[in-house]
Amino acid sequence: MQDAKEKIIRYYKGTEGEATAVKLVDFAAQALKNRKCKLTGFLSPFEQEMAGVIANTLGELNVDFYGGFSGAERQRAAFCHEDFQGTPNFEIAVIKAEWNGEFARLGHRDVLGSILSLGVDREFIGDIIATKDCARILVDKKMLDYFTANLTQIGGTSVETSVDELENISPKEERIKEIKATVASLRIDSIAAAGFGMSRSKAVQEIAAEKIKLNWQTVKNASQSIKEGDILSMRGRGRLEVAEIRGQTKKGRVGVLLRRFF
């Protein structure tokens, strides 16, 4: 098993996922050693993919994911030894933060920023569902008392917090728009421009500002190539799937089918 662990860590070494890979390998190893389950913090989609790779590589492990409701983006992983007969407890709770929506306009970024300003690691926070006058925040259950006691302001606005129920969160419903386009190349700036409805120069600017991610990892170069199945995400604009690459047109452009999720 030691060789498999080292192989995984080498694979992610030097990437933004290196620290997470080390932590996830350790969780998986504990599950193998104890022949039970080991629960992670909340993971991004990229980190969930890493957890799946680790479970498959080490063997004798199953991995289940849950974020508190159907369609949650950030989810906890439970590494379970294949001999484990129980059901994983994902230990997820909901905090409801309420404010006067007539006087303050607060969104996801405001809520997340205020929580992180309390000195809380991102792994304790799941999805945030913000509306006009409240936000439901999925959190690690052991942090419940801390959040209800200390989250008193969001973006300078006073808020009231209370414990809510998972049952009050509706499954996430996404709108999907299919986009048929031809692009000059399979560079990420060309695909982002076609899918998110902007000029290529604007896409380059957004990439430089680290607002666009490829497969949930920060894009370093606008000329980076994409392939079929890749996912682009842009802050405030949703996600874009490269559903199909259809080959070249007579004019030398590349036909693509994109699916945009709102």
Side-chain angles (χ1 to χ4, degrees), residues 100-113:
N100 190 330
E102 294 184 8
F103 298 101
R105 292 181 178 273
L106 302 175
H108 181 282
R109 191 181 303 178
D110 302 301
V111 178
L112 179 59

Side-chain angles (χ1 to χ4, degrees), residues 94-105:
V94 187
I95 293 173
K96 186 177 182 181
E98 298 178 274
W99 59 86
N100 190 330
E102 294 184 8
F103 298 101
R105 292 181 178 273

